[in-house]
């Protein structure tokens, strides 16, 4: 009745890396909470150029996202919420795929388009922030 679809080895590696990423994000959030000096480390790009770096605002956006403040997170760095949505979608769909042993083949597969969208979000954010700084 159902045709099983095997999960590719690349997808399995991404899935395992996804769990490691979750552990890393939890550790990073805990460090930000309990070691406040980490938040005060200056940005070298900003110190040397006077402009915001392409990653400026990502840590604040990550913390705000972890606290459930989605609108504020998007304001500081839209790519963080975009990455979180893709991450959750990937992990949930691939967990269903693996648990069902391929009977429910809904696992999100990597597409270069996802990467390009993320890069465009980062570049747009960087350009807009630096233009606002100049004006």
């Amino acid at each position: 009745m159902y045709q099983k679809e095997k999960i590719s080895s690349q997808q399995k590696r991404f899935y395992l890396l996804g769990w490691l990423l979750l552990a890393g994000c939890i550790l990073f959030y805990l460090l930000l909470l309990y070691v406040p000096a980490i938040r005060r480390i200056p940005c070298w790009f900003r110190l040397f150029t006077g402009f915001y770096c392409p990653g400026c605002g990502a840590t604040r956006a990550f913390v705000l996202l972890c606290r459930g403040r989605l609108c504020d997170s998007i304001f500081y760095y839209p790519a963080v919420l975009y990455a979180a949505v893709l991450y959750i979608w990937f992990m949930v769909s691939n967990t269903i795929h693996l648990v069902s042993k391929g009977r429910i083949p809904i696992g999100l597969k990597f597409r270069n388009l996802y990467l390009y969208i993320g890069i465009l979000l980062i570049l747009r954010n960087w350009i807009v922030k630096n233009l606002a700084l100049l004006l």
Side-chain angles (χ1 to χ4, degrees), residues 2-7 15 92-107:
Y2 293 103
Q3 187 172 2
K4 291 183 180 181
E5 183 181 310
K6 285 187 78 176
I7 192 165
Y15 183 74
V92 169
S93 67
N94 279 287
T95 298
I96 292 169
H97 190 140
L98 285 168
V99 169
S100 72
K101 295 183 175 140
R103 286 180 290 222
I104 306 173
I106 63 169

Side-chain angles (χ1 to χ4, degrees), residues 46 51-58 60-61 73-78 122-135:
R46 176 115 164 112
F51 291 104
Y52 294 119
C53 74
C56 186
R60 280 176 291 200
S73 177
I74 290 171
F75 175 77
Y76 280 107
Y77 204 78
I122 292 168
L123 288 175
R124 185 195 64 81
N125 187 58
W126 185 43
I127 291 168
V128 167
K129 281 186 179 180
N130 282 304
L131 284 176
L133 185 66
L134 291 173
L135 300 177

